[in-house]
Amino acid sequence: MMHTRTSALLFSVTAILLLFASATAAGGQENDYFNRGYEKHLQGDIKAAMKDYSSAIEINPRFAMAYQMRGAVWQRMKMYDKAINDYSMVVVFGETYFKAVGYYNRGIVKNMAGDFFGAIADFNEALNIDKRMVAAYFHRGIAKSRTGDSFGRIQDFREAARLGDVNAEKWLNTYYPTWKQPVASALPQTN
């Protein structure tokens, strides 16, 4: 369920970014390749999409959105090192909002690859740029739980739920029904 949710979120964030990018993009051969790649991606032909995204990057090595989408393809193919590299290029070349998404996506892949501390660092960077990035709180909470930081997980889930994340709220309602109370009383008591 979480992998499907993450993929759907990634695609939703990407679609929003694409609308922004298409409104501001100048014409050019790299955009033609990118648009073809995106169409193929939507149709599920990720290998052909990968080739078109790569062609767009060859023409314009600073094309953050092409790195973003190629990173999504690498991620889907479970080629995590390559996805991390492409998301790193989004961080380097992207405008501020793209950087936040690049950090977030790189954090997701690091979480998937088992680098939980690296994932936390990337989610921190995403949240430094965009404090309302609900999914970054949720996934940072997951990474924290995998490092043994249960308190950190609860705090991140609380913030995600406060910002509207239904899954974080469900989890909190199930395991910490007093989560809406002040922090000290919402946590389980240890003897």
Side-chain angles (χ1 to χ4, degrees):
M1 178 179 120
M2 193 175 323
H3 177 65
T4 303
R5 182 174 180 269
T6 301
S7 295
L9 179 64
L10 170 67
F11 220 67
S12 297
V13 168
T14 300
I16 291 167
L17 292 175
L18 281 174
L19 289 173
F20 175 75
S22 65
T24 60
Q29 193 176 12
E30 69 268 27
N31 288 325
D32 293 339
Y33 278 112
F34 177 83
N35 291 335
R36 273 198 308 267
Y38 185 68
E39 286 301 316
K40 292 172 184 171
H41 199 152
L42 287 176
Q43 295 167 2
D45 189 355
I46 60 172
K47 289 184 180 177
M50 170 79 66
K51 289 178 185 176
D52 284 334
Y53 295 145
S54 294
S55 294
I57 291 167
E58 284 177 27
I59 294 166
N60 180 358
R62 300 177 63 88
F63 196 164
M65 190 49 122
Y67 284 111
Q68 163 67 27
M69 295 308 296
R70 190 173 74 176
V73 171
W74 289 128
Q75 181 179 340
R76 186 168 168 196
M77 296 171 70
K78 297 182 179 6
M79 299 182 87
Y80 299 135
D81 288 342
K82 291 182 178 193
I84 288 168
N85 288 338
D86 276 358
Y87 291 142
S88 294
M89 299 308 282
V90 173
V91 169
V92 170
F93 296 125
E95 298 295 326
T96 302
Y97 187 72
F98 283 140
K99 287 180 190 297
V101 172
Y103 280 120
Y104 168 78
N105 286 326
R106 193 170 71 182
I108 291 292
V109 173
K110 287 179 180 178
N111 238 355
M112 294 168 80
D115 178 9
F116 307 120
F117 289 104
I120 291 167
D122 280 344
F123 295 133
N124 289 342
E125 289 299 324
L127 289 166
N128 284 336
I129 296 168
D130 182 358
K131 300 224 181 299
R132 298 194 52 81
M133 188 181 275
V134 177
Y137 287 107
F138 183 79
H139 287 282
R140 185 175 71 179
I142 291 168
K144 285 180 177 179
S145 73
R146 292 184 176 158
T147 65
D149 183 1
S150 297
F151 180 76
R153 171 184 56 190
I154 293 167
Q155 290 303 100
D156 280 346
F157 279 19
R158 287 179 84 197
E159 186 61 17
R162 187 185 74 73
L163 292 171
D165 187 297
V166 178
N167 289 319
E169 187 170 354
K170 278 186 199 176
W171 187 90
L172 287 164
N173 286 337
T174 301
Y175 297 102
Y176 296 95
T178 60
W179 71 274
K180 291 182 181 177
Q181 296 175 4
V183 175
S185 63
L187 298 175
Q189 301 298 315
T190 58
N191 294 327

